[in-house]
Amino acid sequence: MKTLIPAAGFGTRMLPAAKAVPKEMLPVLNVPVIQYVVQELADAGCDDVLLVVSDDKKAIEDHFDRRGELERRLDEKGKRAFVASVDALMERVQVFSVRQREQLGLGHAVLQGKRHVGEEPFICALGDTIFSGGTAPATQLIEAQKRLGGSVVGLERVPTDRVGRYGIAAGEMVDHATMRVSGFVEKPAPDAAPSDLAIAARYLLSPTIFPLLEDTKPGADGEIQLTDALQRLCNIEPVHGVVLEAQRHDIGNPTDWLETNLIYAARDQQMRERIAPLARELFGG
Ligand code: UTP
């Protein structure tokens, strides 16, 4: 299955860090966020990844390209292991890229993949969000789509007081973790929310989404929203939502990015030994 990673946004909330370094290249521990996303797709058996990048995000393409001089030096010094994780990934997936020349929103970014993706269902994984623990989202979406057909959107349960930050799914639960989606409500007030299930950065989409995106007008914020096209997709083809098992980490803002780093550090034996006493000293407890 082909996959697409939108990674062309301005990353305003991560400025000034994201001014010259794409936010998708910021690290969680020593690995850039986007590498975790590609890893997730590779682990789900996908070997074709299309990066949607902007003109000034060449660093993302370079990360998945060969770096002759660096590799030669590392080989000479017996230090090739430092790039082993990305080397191994590049053996498993072919990474392509396409430019989103103007940042006209997530829907517009997805539309840039139309020619590459063609007429097959594809996975769309946001480049600024990673997952840990449980079945990886891409794997879960592929399994769900085999069972349910149509399109499948990854969902996350969110506390009622936070529904206003997300696109919230409406529909009927088919089982405890699967919803037949009838529509989406963007950033609802808590008492108007149709559920507590938020769209969670991973989608398996039918190619019917492309003509719908072409036909989607920019919303109030001037951006072409993927959610608007998804809303219309629900009226044409089956769309299901599955509650993702893994924990979501959005690194698009400094607090969540730091939190994610701490969570990953806590899982690494060596880092844990260094960080735990410091965390106790700084934060108490
Ligand atoms: P976000 O809205 O979280 O990213 O989009 P952003 O626009 O970069 O962030 P802020 O609001 O300015 O801080 C989710 C994903 O969609 C991509 C982003 O790169 C991110 O991975 N995106 C967003 C695009 O590829 N193109 C766009 O026009 C907008």
Side-chain angles (χ1 to χ4, degrees):
M1 184 173 289
K2 287 188 177 167
T3 66
L4 179 156
I5 304 179
F10 284 123
T12 323
R13 289 163 296 157
M14 279 307 252
L15 288 172
K19 188 176 170 202
V21 177
K23 71 170 166 181
E24 295 82 1
M25 285 299 293
L26 295 175
V28 169
L29 304 188
N30 61 337
V31 175
V33 166
I34 193 126
Q35 189 179 318
Y36 292 96
V37 181
V38 175
Q39 183 78 50
E40 176 194 329
L41 298 172
D43 290 346
C46 305
D47 62 1
D48 184 306
V49 176
L50 179 69
L51 305 167
V52 182
V53 293
S54 60
D55 292 340
D56 51 9
K57 286 198 170 181
K58 215 178 147 301
I60 300 181
E61 295 166 311
D62 290 346
H63 185 69
F64 295 103
D65 206 349
R66 301 251 72 109
R67 305 293 277 178
E69 182 57 21
L70 171 70
E71 287 166 15
R72 196 176 60 71
R73 288 287 186 91
L74 290 172
D75 282 340
E76 273 172 17
K77 297 187 170 185
K79 292 183 173 172
R80 189 65 185 253
F82 284 114
V83 288
S85 63
V86 68
D87 275 352
L89 203 47
M90 283 162 56
E91 294 288 318
R92 294 168 64 195
V93 295
Q94 240 191 314
V95 179
F96 302 89
S97 68
V98 64
R99 297 286 161 107
Q100 183 190 23
R101 302 226 172 262
E102 261 188 291
Q103 278 49 68
L104 297 177
L106 176 58
H108 183 259
V110 173
L111 192 50
Q112 308 314 304
K114 182 182 171 196
R115 182 189 283 250
H116 184 91
V117 167
E119 290 301 317
E120 297 293 323
F122 65 101
I123 290 185
C124 169
L126 302 196
D128 64 352
T129 305
I130 59 176
F131 290 80
S132 67
T135 309
T139 305
Q140 212 185 327
L141 292 187
I142 290 172
E143 282 168 4
Q145 203 256 3
K146 277 187 194 147
R147 205 160 32 91
L148 303 159
S151 298
V152 187
V153 176
L155 299 174
E156 178 194 20
R157 274 193 204 285
V158 293
T160 318
D161 60 336
R162 282 174 46 201
V163 287
R165 298 189 202 174
Y166 302 96
I168 301 291
E172 268 182 48
M173 295 308 286
V174 180
D175 62 45
H176 72 285
T178 313
M179 176 188 259
R180 170 73 194 234
V181 180
S182 57
F184 297 95
V185 184
E186 200 52 59
K187 302 187 171 70
D191 53 0
S195 74
D196 61 351
L197 295 171
I199 302 176
R202 296 290 184 269
Y203 314 77
L204 196 165
L205 297 169
S206 137
T208 310
I209 200 73
F210 291 123
L212 294 175
L213 282 169
E214 280 169 332
D215 197 37
T216 300
K217 303 274 170 295
D221 54 3
E223 297 199 341
I224 297 174
Q225 297 294 354
L226 179 59
T227 311
D228 290 345
L230 272 176
Q231 173 70 42
R232 292 167 60 209
L233 186 64
C234 293
N235 301 327
I236 307 174
E237 289 180 3
V239 176
H240 286 86
V242 291
V243 181
L244 298 176
E245 287 174 18
Q247 184 184 356
R248 173 184 179 171
H249 312 282
D250 173 0
I251 60 82
N253 67 79
T255 311
D256 287 347
W257 172 78
L258 179 59
E259 191 180 283
T260 306
N261 271 282
L262 289 172
I263 291 170
Y264 277 64
R267 291 184 189 143
D268 179 288
Q269 186 59 33
Q270 269 185 346
M271 289 214 193
R272 192 189 172 85
E273 280 166 21
R274 285 280 302 279
I275 301 298
L278 177 66
R280 271 195 295 277
E281 187 186 319
L282 292 175
F283 306 120

